[in-house]
Amino acid sequence: MKPKITLKKIAKEFEVSISTVSKALKGSHEISVELKEKIQAFAKLYHYKPNSIAVRLQNQQTKVIGVVVPDIVHHFFSTVIRGIEEETNKRGYSVMICLSNESYEKEMMNIEMFTNGSVDGLIVSISKETQAKNDYSHFNDLLEDGFPLVMFDRVNDNFKCDKVIIDDVGGAFNATNHLLDIGCKNIALITTPRHVTVGSLRREGYEKAHLKRGMSINENSIIEINETEDLGEQISKLFISNPPDGIFAVNELYAVTAMNRAREKGFRIPDDISVIGFTDGPISQLSLPPLTTVVQHGFTMGKQVAELLLNRIESKEELEPQKIVISTNLKIRKSTKSI
Amino acid sequence: MKPKITLKKIAKEFEVSISTVSKALKGSHEISVELKEKIQAFAKLYHYKPNSIAVRLQNQQTKVIGVVVPDIVHHFFSTVIRGIEEETNKRGYSVMICLSNESYEKEMMNIEMFTNGSVDGLIVSISKETQAKNDYSHFNDLLEDGFPLVMFDRVNDNFKCDKVIIDDVGGAFNATNHLLDIGCKNIALITTPRHVTVGSLRREGYEKAHLKRGMSINENSIIEINETEDLGEQISKLFISNPPDGIFAVNELYAVTAMNRAREKGFRIPDDISVIGFTDGPISQLSLPPLTTVVQHGFTMGKQVAELLLNRIESKEELEPQKIVISTNLKIRKSTKSI
DNA sequence: CTGTTAGCGCTTTCAC
DNA sequence: GTGAAAGCGCTAACAG
């Protein structure tokens, strides 16, 4: 690669000082038109661009924000990131993304790396391993230093930092309620282990909807998916005895797998079993039948997250931490009976 | 946010020089044990971290690589990015991602931004708009300066830079060939407009497979999808007169939509029509029936891309541009008849 | 053992 | 009109 062209080199070329070149390139009126034109032409010819690292060192800000997410091959997260990108770009920032791969170790390293001055602020969604370990010590320094931080979706309530979450309880409540409305008597819940916060929140909504109608929860209708084992087989157990007439699954994958397994067992969707998922991804629309689902508005969420962070970064005073809840809505497709 | 702690401040605190502090924190044996311990304890207490911007300015490298992709809400691209992340992290680099959103303008701005010293090298997959305009002038400066650049998937053959591509022709050939093998006589192709390189390459493979058997191509069996119009309706036209007994679609979405539409028209999959898609995403496995598809190995691709780039960055000499072709394989599921 | 100095590329203030 | 100098935070060669 060719050595980069710098102000210094241009200055030497024209036998003027560095500051003259700097001013000339900025079009300053202090410099003679003639010299300005010559310098600008030369700079263009050699593709001069001010070294952003030097500029950043100068004004002590990077105009970059860091994002640490568990995964990117996941429709919800990539949608949120799109929202973050859009908003940050609009306000003159760039985005640096690191993946934790659901690993505590990688999450810690990513955060460590980001907070050495690489970025002006940080957006994090916590990894599953971190949630399982319940160890958040790697955030302590950030919090003590008042480093601009926004958490989204998978958050920890004990932190005083900005948070943006989906109304998981409400979404699950609405979904379950809808199943109840269309006449389901035995609604199964397919969810994650309890330590995954979104899973337990959605379970809460599911329970609430039952409670509100004075219905009790049948623990046998709830399956917690163990991700290390085969998904289909775990779900199949639902249909062995006392099969449900409604299923609420905490994500698309579980929902569609449940539909497919149910159909294998001879159940018709939605005639015998109505199914609702969470997260409106590509699978929902293309599944057979198209899946009724709780829409999460990831893009909106991303924009909100970015807005919160940038406001904090650019604010003079210390801001009080905020918590924003993004509400969901139920997108009714063909996997649920109509009333 | 609290002001960042610097060597200078620590130096003042202990009334020693900056370099003493620097050495102490590095554990240099030049410094007395006593002083080292005091300084290190102090630094830890105040969360001192060397400012990476200053370090980067110093050694003239950022240890960051930039990635410009059209989209991230797309299983293939996010898989590739995962591969890139994995490989670069392993070698001590971080990744900065920008989205072009399939826009020429944004692509140009992203590249412009990245080449101001923010990153040591660049990975790009070209946007659709750029391909349509066929204007690649925003890469000229990079190429002239010998800036480390690797293109993947959507590449331009006229550039002399490293490239990693999928064997689109071969994959499409195999897919079409398989349909022919199982007895299909009239194979429809659902593809993109010609300017999308991967689309036209896959068409080439489709044609090749026919030619090899001395079969001619029926232009009526080929539909080019116009993305601004309704997908389902465009595909439905296939089934009006002379319906196909095989379909090869250049992506998952087209394939699954075709299956769904075909079924609506009363065709059975795979008994009446066998269908093959391209890209092995989440949809393929969950569709009904599960889709036979050309597997792209995005993760492997990402690793290769990163490897190529890092080798170039770290190499002393000028390397000759390489072109790596990642071969595909056919994953046979239930959407195609068995022989 | 500790300090001085120069320099990375750039901006900005102040002299000339 | 042009240039000199300081400084952003850090490293490293060299001096004491």
Side-chain angles (χ1 to χ4, degrees), chain A residues 258-302:
Chain A
M259 289 206 295
N260 289 175
R261 290 292 167 145
R263 199 182 286 98
E264 276 174 21
K265 303 277 177 187
F267 296 98
R268 291 161 306 161
I269 315 277
D271 308 271
D272 300 325
I273 308 179
S274 287
V275 181
I276 300 186
F278 213 109
T279 296
D280 188 35
I283 304 171
S284 301
Q285 297 151 57
L286 292 169
S287 67
L288 215 76
L291 186 68
T292 293
T293 185
V294 180
V295 182
Q296 286 198 76
H297 306 295
F299 185 77
T300 308
M301 183 171 205

Side-chain angles (χ1 to χ4, degrees), chain A residues 61-66 88 91 93 119-123 147-150 162 306-317 319, chain B residues 1:
Chain A
Q61 50 168 336
T62 63
K63 290 283 178 185
V64 176
I65 65 131
T88 49
R91 291 174 62 170
Y93 288 74
V119 298
D120 293 343
L122 209 46
I123 293 173
F147 191 90
L149 169 68
V150 181
D162 289 325
E307 212 180 310
L308 227 46
L309 183 65
L310 297 184
N311 288 348
R312 179 166 294 275
I313 290 173
E314 291 172 353
S315 151
K316 304 284 170 225
E317 315 106 63
L319 267 41
Chain B
M1 175 168 165

Side-chain angles (χ1 to χ4, degrees), chain A residues 16-17 19-20 23 30-32 58 60:
Chain A
V16 295
S17 78
S19 42
T20 303
K23 284 171 188 164
E30 288 180 44
I31 310 295
S32 70
Q58 225 13 264
Q60 299 288 55

Side-chain angles (χ1 to χ4, degrees), chain A residues 71-75 78 282, chain B residues 71-82 252 279-285 296-299:
Chain A
D71 195 356
I72 204 179
V73 186
H74 194 307
H75 188 261
S78 43
Chain B
D71 194 357
I72 203 179
V73 186
H74 195 307
H75 187 261
F76 174 66
F77 283 123
S78 42
T79 313
V80 175
I81 289 176
R82 275 231 313 168
E252 268 187 336
T279 296
D280 188 36
I283 304 171
S284 301
Q285 297 153 55
Q296 286 198 79
H297 306 296
F299 186 76

Side-chain angles (χ1 to χ4, degrees), chain A residues 175-176 178-188 190 239 244-249 255 258-259 262 267-277 289 291-292 333-339:
Chain A
T176 312
H178 183 75
L179 289 170
L180 260 12
D181 279 346
I182 59 179
C184 296
K185 304 289 179 219
N186 177 16
I187 302 174
I190 308 179
F239 309 112
D245 55 0
I247 297 178
F248 171 54
M259 289 206 295
F267 296 98
R268 291 161 306 161
I269 315 277
D271 308 271
D272 300 325
I273 308 179
S274 287
V275 181
I276 300 186
L291 186 68
T292 293
R333 295 205 183 84
K334 305 284 187 192
S335 67
T336 42
K337 274 189 290 205
S338 34
I339 303 180

Side-chain angles (χ1 to χ4, degrees), chain A residues 39-160:
Chain A
I39 290 181
Q40 284 171 359
F42 184 89
K44 187 161 193 181
L45 184 63
Y46 286 95
H47 311 145
Y48 171 79
K49 298 206 192 86
N51 180 323
S52 79
I53 302 292
V55 175
R56 291 181 200 176
L57 181 59
Q58 225 13 264
N59 26 221
Q60 299 288 55
Q61 50 168 336
T62 63
K63 290 283 178 185
V64 176
I65 65 131
V67 177
V68 182
V69 283
D71 195 356
I72 204 179
V73 186
H74 194 307
H75 188 261
F76 174 66
F77 284 123
S78 43
T79 312
V80 176
I81 290 175
R82 276 231 312 168
I84 294 175
E85 262 267 334
E86 168 128 342
E87 185 67 21
T88 49
N89 286 179
K90 200 193 295 170
R91 291 174 62 170
Y93 288 74
S94 301
V95 176
M96 206 158 154
I97 299 175
C98 285
L99 310 180
S100 67
N101 257 319
E102 302 287 9
S103 139
Y104 171 83
E105 188 79 14
K106 269 207 80 179
E107 180 175 290
M108 198 173 65
M109 284 171 45
N110 288 157
I111 291 176
E112 180 74 18
M113 189 275 291
F114 272 139
T115 51
N116 62 4
S118 307
V119 298
D120 293 343
L122 209 46
I123 293 173
V124 182
S125 192
I126 301 166
S127 78
K128 281 187 186 158
E129 199 188 343
T130 306
Q131 290 190 128
K133 286 177 83 130
N134 199 26
D135 174 354
Y136 298 94
S137 52
H138 47 310
F139 287 98
N140 289 154
D141 292 0
L142 291 190
L143 259 25
E144 277 180 41
D145 295 343
F147 191 90
L149 169 68
V150 181
M151 289 190 176
F152 76 92
D153 197 51
R154 311 222 288 235
V155 307
N156 181 311
D157 270 332
N158 298 325
F159 289 154
K160 54 167 193 30

